[in-house]
């Protein structure tokens, strides 16, 4: 039963009975129903001041009158308190309805097909060629991955795009450096690290040697003009970078549908300039070409530099147009750090000025910075923490904790991988995304904290209870789920679909992460307070059913944020 709908129906007929009027539709009533902050005030509350005007009576009077005429078997009690009607549902019926509905859907509970036929583009991770994958990329990768899964769960067709940073004059320098000092096998083996070394050396030597800068420019020109050698070397740089990155993506379980990066748009620039010119938006400014945005309180959006080269911004403009043409997206989300807030405000404004009403479908999903045990990351000072190292270290630490806690566990390596990586991902997605994150080992890997290991452990506990219980063929007696601890769990289960809707409205995976913790904590209280394997078989069956639902729901919620759930820990 959908309690909101059923209650709204009851309230509507009560108003009619008491006042012979129908001032609100059932849908309106449903939209006004609230969840009291404290369960002691009921499961639902209806604010009667919503009726005061049309009924010309004070809310307390209205509440008193309605409380007197409402009656239904699923409502245990109605109280009139200060103009509110507080509803207490029949606990057993409430538990029965919520738990059976969830059990029917199993791991798909909370899913829907509301997004059918709608494409959501997610631009995330978007790493740069010849740069190492450091923990600064963790949030974009994991927020994007979580949103991908969440949209998919709601029936949307997500398209994951890794908008590679694979264009720019620095790649001319890279090729020049490689031609001067590079060695194929060293780069092939050393990966991105070797490329970075070459680049750093080039930059240092270019200080004293003017010719080097010139050489770099020449190679970039060759690259732009499609010179086969330049193209071949650069394609290989890309391959080496992606090979390194894919190891990290595999560890994290992250996938992309497209790797169309900045260079993909090089031959799609004319259209941008034609359109900007045609719409009279292109202005000359100190030799550069820009779109003026001072009317909107923003600096000009530069689309062509003085030397004629296009930039990051121009390519984003081309990418937006291309994506709309190609995908006809419902939404295009850019999961990029807050440092680029202005860039995206400008980009969306320019699209609006170009007359593309669909600019409203584009959104910048911004997030804060990551620091490591109190130190901000800075490539210059050498405080760089590579994501792959961090993940490996986490798996190693998880491995030693497991060794200590469960020495007899089979496949410890597999579990350590799920726990170690899960801990990092979960920590990253725990706070609302605008907040900065400071990564600390003891906080991420604490088995009793608000962490992945804690939630995963609760999932494994559910699995273990169910294994031990074996088959239970009795008819569930939902009187077994009327204690406050059981009701808390039921209430969380009931709210999950709504919570997911809100998390998607706000593009906020942390709501799901927090839900995992709340559900795990509530289940553990239930586990300690109520005997699941009760002698009364009816109660036992109901409690086992609740345990099954919690097991599946934790697994689902963890999956949605990109964390795996081992069955034994
Ligand atoms: N590669 C860029 C960076 O590391 C992020 C690109 C984000 N996506 C985009 N369409 N601009 O800063």
């Amino acid at each position: 039963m959908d309690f909101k709908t059923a209650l709204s129906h009851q309230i509507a007929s009560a108003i009619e009975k008491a006042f012979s009027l129908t001032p609100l539709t059932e849908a309106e009533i449903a939209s006004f129903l609230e969840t009291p902050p404290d369960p002691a005030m009921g499961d639902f509350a209806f604010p009667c001041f919503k009726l005061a005007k049309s009924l010309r009576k004070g809310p307390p009077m209205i509440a008193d009158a309605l409380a007197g005429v409402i009656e239904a078997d699923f409502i245990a009690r109605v109280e009139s308190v200060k103009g509110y009607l507080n509803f207490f549902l029949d606990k057993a019926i409430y538990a029965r309805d919520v738990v059976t509905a969830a059990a029917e859907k199993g791991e798909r509970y909370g899913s829907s097909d509301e997004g059918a036929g709608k494409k959501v583009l997610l631009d995330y991770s978007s790493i740069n060629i010849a740069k190492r994958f450091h923990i600064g990329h963790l949030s974009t990768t994991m927020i994007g991955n979580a949103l991908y899964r969440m949209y998919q769960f709601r029936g949307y067709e997500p398209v994951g795009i890794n908008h590679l940073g694979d264009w720019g004059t620095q790649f001319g320098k890279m090729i020049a450096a490689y031609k001067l000092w590079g060695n194929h096998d060293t780069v092939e083996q050393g990966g991105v690290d070797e490329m970075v070394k070459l680049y750093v050396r080039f930059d240092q030597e270019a200080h004293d040697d003017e010719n080097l800068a010139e050489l770099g420019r020449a190679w970039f020109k060759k690259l732009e003009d499609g010179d086969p050698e330049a193209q071949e070397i650069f394609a290989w740089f890309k391959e080496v970078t992606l090979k390194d990155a894919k190891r990290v993506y595999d560890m994290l379980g992250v996938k992309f549908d497209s790797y169309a990066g900045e260079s993909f748009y090089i031959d799609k620039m004319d259209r941008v300039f034609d359109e900007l010119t045609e719409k009279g938006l292109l202005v000359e400014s100190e030799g550069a070409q820009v779109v003026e945005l001072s009317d909107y309180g923003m600096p000009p959006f530069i689309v062509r530099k003085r030397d004629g080269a296009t930039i990051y911004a121009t390519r984003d403009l081309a990418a937006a147009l291309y994506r709309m043409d190609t995908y006809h997206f419902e939404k295009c989300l850019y999961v990029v750090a807050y440092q680029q807030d202005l860039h995206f405000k400008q980009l969306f404004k320019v699209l609006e000025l170009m007359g593309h009403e669909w600019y409203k479908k584009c959104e910048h999903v911004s997030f804060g910075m990551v620091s490591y045990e109190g130190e901000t990351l800075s490539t210059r000072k050498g405080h760089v923490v590579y994501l792959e190292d961090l993940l490996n270290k986490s798996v190693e630490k998880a491995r030693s904790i497991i060794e200590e806690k469960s020495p007899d566990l089979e496949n410890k390596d597999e579990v350590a991988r799920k726990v170690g990586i899960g801990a990092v991902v979960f920590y990253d997605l725990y706070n609302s995304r605008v907040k900065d994150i400071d990564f600390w080992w003891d906080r991420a890997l604490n088995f009793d904290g608000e962490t992945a290991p804690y939630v995963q452990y609760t999932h494994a506990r559910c699995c273990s209870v169910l294994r031990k219980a074996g088959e239970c063929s009795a008819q569930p007696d939902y009187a077994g789920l009327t204690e406050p601890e059981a009701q808390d769990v039921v209430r969380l289960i009931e709210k999950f679909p709504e919570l997911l809707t809100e998390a998607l409205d706000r593009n906020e995976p942390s709501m799901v992460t927090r839900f995992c913790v709340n559900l795990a904590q509530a289940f553990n209280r239930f586990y300690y307070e109520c005997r699941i394997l009760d002698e009364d078989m009816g109660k036992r069956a109901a409690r086992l059913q609740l345990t099954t639902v919690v097991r599946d729901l934790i697994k689902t919620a963890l999956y949605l944020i990109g964390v795996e759930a081992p069955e034994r820990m």
Side-chain angles (χ1 to χ4, degrees), residues 19 47-66 80 82-84:
F19 302 101
C48 291
F49 65 85
K50 298 282 185 194
L51 292 163
K53 219 168 169 192
S54 41
L55 298 180
R56 296 161 178 276
K57 294 199 167 56
M61 247 196 83
I62 299 172
D64 285 347
L66 295 181
S80 156
K82 296 189 185 141
Y84 275 84

Side-chain angles (χ1 to χ4, degrees), residues 123 126 128 163 312 316 334 336 340 344:
D123 178 324
S126 300
N128 302 315
H163 184 80
Y312 178 66
D316 253 337
Y334 296 83
V336 186
Q340 295 191 32
F344 286 106

Side-chain angles (χ1 to χ4, degrees), residues 227-496:
D227 171 81
E229 187 185 9
Q231 280 193 325
E232 193 188 315
I233 298 176
F234 184 54
W236 173 62
F237 283 169
K238 246 169 108 161
E239 208 180 284
V240 173
T241 309
L242 285 178
K243 205 172 100 205
D244 272 11
K246 277 192 178 136
R247 270 203 315 276
V248 179
Y249 291 140
D250 284 348
M251 284 169 115
L252 293 167
V254 171
K255 288 199 172 64
F256 298 92
D257 301 298
S258 159
Y259 280 88
E262 294 186 43
S263 69
F264 180 76
Y265 298 101
I266 295 308
D267 63 358
K268 299 172 182 63
M269 291 294 181
D270 289 348
R271 155 152 194 225
V272 175
F273 290 104
D274 290 350
E275 213 182 306
L276 287 172
T277 313
E278 191 191 310
K279 297 194 170 138
L281 292 169
L282 216 51
V283 210
E284 192 84 7
S285 166
E286 299 170 33
Q289 291 187 306
V290 308
V291 178
E292 252 321 313
L293 295 175
S294 54
D295 286 354
Y296 312 98
M298 289 187 271
F301 195 60
I302 303 171
V303 288
R304 206 195 280 282
K305 289 194 293 184
R306 237 190 328 204
D307 62 7
T310 60
I311 60 171
Y312 178 66
T314 334
R315 297 189 277 277
D316 253 337
L317 213 42
L321 299 177
Y322 173 86
R323 289 172 183 178
M324 189 30 117
D325 282 354
T326 311
Y327 300 104
H328 308 287
F329 56 76
E330 178 70 17
K331 286 184 190 192
C332 179
L333 307 179
Y334 296 83
V335 188
V336 186
Y338 74 86
Q339 281 92 340
Q340 295 191 32
D341 280 359
L342 175 63
H343 166 74
F344 286 106
K345 276 206 190 100
Q346 291 176 306
L347 176 68
F348 302 156
K349 184 49 99 180
V350 173
L351 288 170
E352 181 186 354
L353 295 174
M354 289 167 94
H356 297 301
E357 268 309 299
W358 51 261
Y359 79 91
K360 291 182 187 137
K361 299 182 175 206
C362 301
E363 198 180 320
H364 177 205
V365 179
S366 181
F367 57 83
M369 293 232 301
V370 184
S371 50
Y372 181 76
E373 306 228 310
E375 282 192 72
T376 43
L377 298 176
S378 143
T379 329
R380 233 176 294 140
K381 286 192 208 136
H383 298 313
V384 214
V385 181
Y386 298 122
L387 196 46
E388 191 172 2
D389 298 343
L390 183 91
L391 294 173
N392 282 328
K393 193 160 166 186
S394 191
V395 172
E396 215 175 278
K397 284 181 184 265
R399 175 90 167 111
S400 63
I401 298 174
I402 290 167
E403 199 65 66
E404 191 187 306
K405 287 193 185 242
S406 335
D408 303 327
L409 188 71
E410 282 171 39
N411 56 8
K412 286 191 201 120
D413 288 335
E414 184 61 15
V415 176
R417 188 184 60 76
K418 290 179 179 170
V419 173
I421 292 185
V424 173
V425 172
F426 196 95
Y427 192 92
D428 188 67
L429 296 177
Y430 190 64
N431 288 308
S432 65
R433 55 184 164 76
V434 295
K435 288 205 182 147
D436 289 343
I437 298 168
D438 193 8
F439 188 86
W440 292 85
W441 286 112
D442 54 346
R443 290 182 209 160
L445 277 168
N446 185 344
F447 275 56
D448 300 315
E450 293 165 1
T451 60
Y454 173 72
V455 176
Q456 288 169 320
Y457 189 78
T458 309
H459 171 266
R461 166 171 284 163
C462 292
C463 293
S464 143
V465 168
L466 293 166
R467 262 196 314 271
K468 280 190 199 128
E471 274 301 309
C472 174
S473 51
Q475 259 317 99
D477 174 2
Y478 294 94
L481 298 180
T482 51
E483 298 84 346
E485 293 79 14
Q487 290 278 303
D488 283 348
V489 178
V490 173
R491 223 171 282 118
L492 282 166
I493 296 169
E494 190 215 347
K495 298 282 183 281
F496 178 67

